[in-house]
Amino acid sequence: MPRDDLSPAAKEAMTSSETAEVLLHLLTIYYDEEPILRVVDDLQEIVSCGEHYVPCGFSVLLPDQTGDGNKTCRLQIDNTDISVYREIKKAAGRSIADKKQITCDVGVIMASESDNYIEGPLHFVLRNITATSQSVTGELYDLYMHDRKFTGFTYNPEDFPGLFW
């Protein structure tokens, strides 16, 4: 169901059985908080909130709306433009050397309302990057702690009296 703060056009497009509206994903990849790549999954450039996004084939698996949600999300960028591969490879190399993270913002917009986000922008850490001749893929973590192992114990005064005063 649509959020309450969506525009009337967005609500109508999301709830109608057929619509002429086009939903687009905007992806911004950052290294050390500086944008290195801004792409849109469309055939033409788009301007959103004053930023230019170049067309590029990519897919992103965002978390679902349930409490279970995906702990990691997936990003796949088609490797049709060698400049995309070079920018990500350069950032990945610097990330390892400088111990800094590559981060991403992902947003969903309607082509007719490019400044109004339907979802996002969602912030992720990009990790586990791999590249082939067909695509560049990686995992998007919304919180870095999702892949860490933590104990499942509940600490309470009855079972662990030494931890409580």
Side-chain angles (χ1 to χ4, degrees), residues 57-101:
F58 71 92
S59 63
V60 62
L61 174 66
L62 295 176
D64 58 20
Q65 298 295 315
T66 65
D68 298 346
N70 296 322
K71 292 195 184 234
T72 60
C73 303
R74 302 276 313 154
L75 171 66
Q76 180 175 335
I77 302 173
D78 293 345
N79 203 3
T80 55
D81 185 355
I82 195 68
S83 65
V84 171
Y85 168 75
R86 285 184 182 147
E87 285 296 324
I88 293 174
K89 181 180 176 185
K90 185 169 59 171
R94 291 187 343 207
S95 173
I96 293 169
D98 299 342
K99 299 190 184 322
K100 295 184 179 178
Q101 296 179 341

Side-chain angles (χ1 to χ4, degrees), residues 9-23 110:
K11 287 180 184 179
E12 182 179 339
M14 293 177 71
T15 56
S16 65
S17 59
E18 290 187 23
T19 182
E21 293 292 345
V22 178
L23 296 178
M110 286 191 329

Side-chain angles (χ1 to χ4, degrees), residues 11-77:
K11 287 180 184 179
E12 182 179 339
M14 293 177 71
T15 56
S16 65
S17 59
E18 290 187 23
T19 182
E21 293 292 345
V22 178
L23 296 178
L24 302 172
H25 289 91
L26 300 178
L27 172 68
T28 305
I29 299 178
Y30 299 90
Y31 173 74
D32 197 20
E33 298 183 16
E34 291 293 322
I36 60 169
L37 186 64
R38 293 183 196 276
V39 293
V40 59
D41 59 348
D42 197 10
L43 298 176
Q44 58 190 6
E45 182 177 310
I46 195 163
V47 177
S48 177
C49 299
E51 302 294 341
H52 292 267
Y53 292 82
V54 296
C56 181
F58 71 92
S59 63
V60 62
L61 174 66
L62 295 176
D64 58 20
Q65 298 295 315
T66 65
D68 298 346
N70 296 322
K71 292 195 184 234
T72 60
C73 303
R74 302 276 313 154
L75 171 66
Q76 180 175 335
I77 302 173

